[in-house]
Every structure is written in structure tokens, then in C-alpha cells.
Amino acid sequence: MTYSKSAGGAVTARFGFNYQGTDYNDAGAFSINAGETKSYAWHNLNVLCNSVVGFLSVTGQGRFQTPAVSDC
């Protein structure tokens, strides 16, 4: 997942994904400023043709989700 911040003040955020009703987070929250890009990738996931929803949780602003995707 990749997040590029184009304007505004710094925010603290965290990447994650939801699989079968359970949230899995990245290695930790990060701070990002305008003009910066942050990425995180999960490797060797076996989701068995089930859908996965990615999300970005931003402190004080909520959770922003991707459309569901499947590896099938």
C-alpha cells in the first residue's frame, strides 16, 4: 500500500488490512508531511481466494479503506 500526502499539516497514520473480519496492522504508526510518500507491503500472505480490504488509519481523522481485492 502507498500513501502520498499532497497538502496540509503532518498526520500520524498506520497501514493495515482486514481479512475475514480481523484487522492486521503494519509494523507501526508513522508521521507524514505534505510532499512525502509512505509505503508498506505484506509478503507471503495466503488468503485462499478470500477478499482483503486495505486501510489507512489516520489519527483524529478515521479510517480510509480500499475496495476489496482477491488473489484469485
Side-chain angles (χ1 to χ4, degrees):
M1 296 180 68
T2 300
Y3 172 53
S4 296
K5 184 159 176 44
S6 59
V11 296
T12 300
R14 185 169 197 172
F15 291 117
F17 69 94
N18 183 282
Y19 172 63
Q20 292 187 320
T22 301
D23 286 348
Y24 297 89
N25 292 304
D26 64 0
F30 58 89
S31 181
I32 185 169
N33 296 291
E36 295 181 334
T37 299
K38 298 285 186 181
S39 297
Y40 193 84
W42 287 266
H43 298 283
N44 301 319
L45 293 177
N46 185 359
V47 295
L48 304 173
C49 288
N50 291 295
S51 64
V52 174
V53 175
F55 62 83
L56 178 74
S57 293
V58 180
T59 302
Q61 296 182 26
R63 177 171 163 146
F64 304 89
Q65 296 189 167
T66 68
V69 295
S70 172
D71 67 345
C72 293

